């Protein structure tokens, strides 16, 4: 379960339907071209929180079929509807996903006991392993060290997708829990996570820039940190331009330019500004995507 995982993009048509063939193409792009070690399915990058339960199941099924055992699969099932999270967790487990993941429950100001019970309920009902998805900038939920101590008492909670800029806590987690999986969640800070000893990374830009991200990891592991920084600089130049144009819209448009049917984003997200397609074509050329 170590290595680089793409947070899988999901293509939609104008009516918000999943484009099945396009999704299969994106799965293959990640595995065959970007050479990722795994896929993180139905996360933020898959626009998960705007999907119906049946659409989420369809994404799990299509991704699993197309992967066909090639790489590891993590199913993000988190929801503030616990019944839905358990239903999705059971479904993904039946499909053979290697682990579940779940975002911390958000919107309502849940107590820590409520958050802990949520994770325990999912793991108990599904029998599968769990990777906590900690992303306080979007959920408003920060997990303290003492709280991680409690969560990790559940042996089924095998790690965390750590999308947080608090690298002091990351170092403390790594030191205290050498046997738990820790994944870096910020693509633009990948090198700092690798130097801190993470087991892998999960990110949206790996759908188009996975090879470069793997290079950062490999260089760091070989002790060539200065060279890894040079690759991170190039990566962050790309990320800056992608963010300027619109994150998910631009990632999809890069794939569209490359002949992969990545569709558009699901409403209420805007579609890509077609007037900027030339800038995306230039990105593809300039960064050898």
């Amino acid at each position: 379960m170590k290595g680089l995982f793409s947070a899988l993009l999901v293509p939609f048509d104008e009516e918000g339907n999943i484009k099945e063939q396009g999704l299969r193409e994106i799965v293959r792009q990640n595995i065959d071209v970007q050479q990722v070690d795994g896929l993180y399915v139905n996360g933020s990058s898959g626009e998960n929180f705007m999907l119906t339960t049946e659409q989420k199941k369809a994404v799990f099924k299509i991704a699993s079929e197309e992967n066909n055992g090639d790489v590891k699969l993590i199913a993000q099932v988190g929801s503030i509807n616990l019944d839905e999270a358990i239903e999705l967790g059971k479904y993904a487990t039946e499909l053979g996903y290697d682990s579940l993941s779940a975002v911390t429950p958000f919107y309502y100001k849940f107590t820590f006991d409520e958050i802990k019970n949520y994770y325990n309920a999912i793991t108990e009902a599904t029998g599968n392993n769990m990777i906590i998805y900690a992303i306080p900038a979007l959920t408003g939920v920060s997990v303290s060290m003492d709280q991680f101590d409690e969560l990790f008492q559940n042996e089924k909670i095998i790690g965390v997708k750590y999308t947080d800029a608090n690298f002091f806590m990351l170092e403390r987690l790594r030191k205290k829990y050498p046997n738990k999986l820790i994944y870096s969640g910020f693509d633009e800070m990948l090198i700092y996570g690798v130097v801190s000893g993470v087991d892998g990374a999960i990110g949206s830009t790996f759908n188009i820039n996975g090879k470069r991200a793997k290079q950062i990891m490999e260089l760091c592991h070989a002790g060539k940190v200065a060279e890894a920084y040079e690759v991170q600089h190039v990566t962050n130049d790309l990320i800056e331009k992608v963010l300027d144009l619109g994150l998910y819209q631009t990632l999809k448009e890069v794939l569209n330019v490359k002949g992969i049917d990545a569709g558009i984003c699901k409403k209420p997200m805007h579609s890509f500004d077609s007037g900027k397609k030339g800038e995306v074509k230039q990105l593809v050329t300039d960064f050898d995507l």
Side-chain angles (χ1 to χ4, degrees), residues 25-287:
E25 291 173 10
I26 295 172
V27 170
R28 297 294 354 144
Q29 148 79 9
N30 275 290
I31 297 170
D32 300 334
V33 179
Q34 300 305 326
Q35 299 181 340
V36 297
D37 301 298
L39 299 173
Y40 187 86
V41 184
N42 271 332
S44 308
S45 303
E47 300 164 54
N48 170 75
F49 304 108
M50 297 184 286
L51 305 189
T52 66
T53 303
E54 292 309 309
Q55 285 180 314
K56 293 173 187 179
K57 286 183 175 180
V59 172
F60 284 139
K61 186 172 187 292
I62 294 165
S64 176
E65 286 178 351
E66 191 60 40
N67 175 59
N68 196 29
D70 287 342
V71 298
K72 297 293 186 180
L73 295 178
I74 300 173
Q76 198 292 125
V77 301
S79 170
I80 58 172
N81 180 338
L82 180 57
D83 292 334
E84 182 193 41
I86 289 173
E87 180 181 347
L88 292 171
K90 288 180 176 178
Y91 184 73
T93 300
E94 289 169 2
L95 289 173
Y97 276 70
D98 297 282
S99 177
L100 306 179
S101 181
V103 68
T104 48
F106 52 90
Y107 187 78
Y108 299 104
K109 293 188 180 298
F110 294 101
T111 67
F112 173 68
D113 280 343
E114 290 168 334
I115 293 170
K116 182 172 69 172
N117 291 339
Y118 157 92
Y119 283 114
N120 291 342
I122 297 171
T123 57
E124 182 177 350
T126 64
N128 205 339
N129 291 327
M130 170 64 64
I131 295 164
I132 295 165
Y133 182 8
I135 182 167
L138 294 184
T139 61
V141 179
S142 294
V143 182
S144 69
M145 278 296 298
D146 288 343
Q147 291 169 344
F148 272 117
D149 289 341
E150 287 195 47
L151 290 169
F152 284 154
Q153 288 177 16
N154 180 342
E155 292 183 359
K156 287 289 186 181
I157 298 179
I158 61 172
V160 57
K161 179 187 177 189
Y162 189 85
T163 310
D164 195 339
N166 184 344
F167 285 93
F168 174 64
M169 179 176 282
L170 176 60
E171 180 272 335
R172 295 285 84 190
L173 282 171
R174 179 72 294 166
K175 181 176 185 293
K176 190 167 188 179
Y177 296 103
N179 297 321
K180 295 291 186 181
L181 292 167
I182 302 177
Y183 299 95
S184 172
F186 275 134
D187 304 9
E188 64 273 30
M189 300 181 188
L190 175 59
I191 190 170
Y192 307 110
V194 180
V195 168
S196 297
V198 295
D199 298 291
I202 300 169
S204 56
T205 64
F206 305 157
N207 284 271
I208 66 168
N209 194 51
K211 288 184 291 185
R212 202 170 267 123
K214 287 199 81 170
Q215 189 180 7
I216 292 169
M217 295 179 70
E218 289 165 359
L219 286 168
C220 284
H221 292 155
K224 299 177 181 179
V225 177
E227 291 180 43
Y229 263 109
E230 292 305 314
V231 182
Q232 186 74 65
H233 292 327
V234 175
T235 290
N236 287 357
D237 288 342
L238 170 62
I239 290 174
E240 274 191 332
K241 293 180 183 298
V242 168
L243 292 175
D244 285 344
L245 292 168
L247 176 57
Y248 302 127
Q249 293 89 341
T250 306
L251 294 177
K252 289 183 173 184
E253 193 59 27
V254 166
L255 295 177
N256 285 327
V257 166
K258 289 169 62 66
I260 295 165
D261 186 4
I264 60 174
C265 290
K266 192 172 175 66
K267 294 176 182 176
M269 285 190 182
H270 290 301
S271 298
F272 183 77
D273 182 352
S274 59
K276 296 182 177 179
K277 191 164 186 172
E279 294 182 51
V280 173
K281 289 181 178 178
Q282 194 63 50
L283 274 185
V284 172
T285 299
D286 290 348
F287 291 91

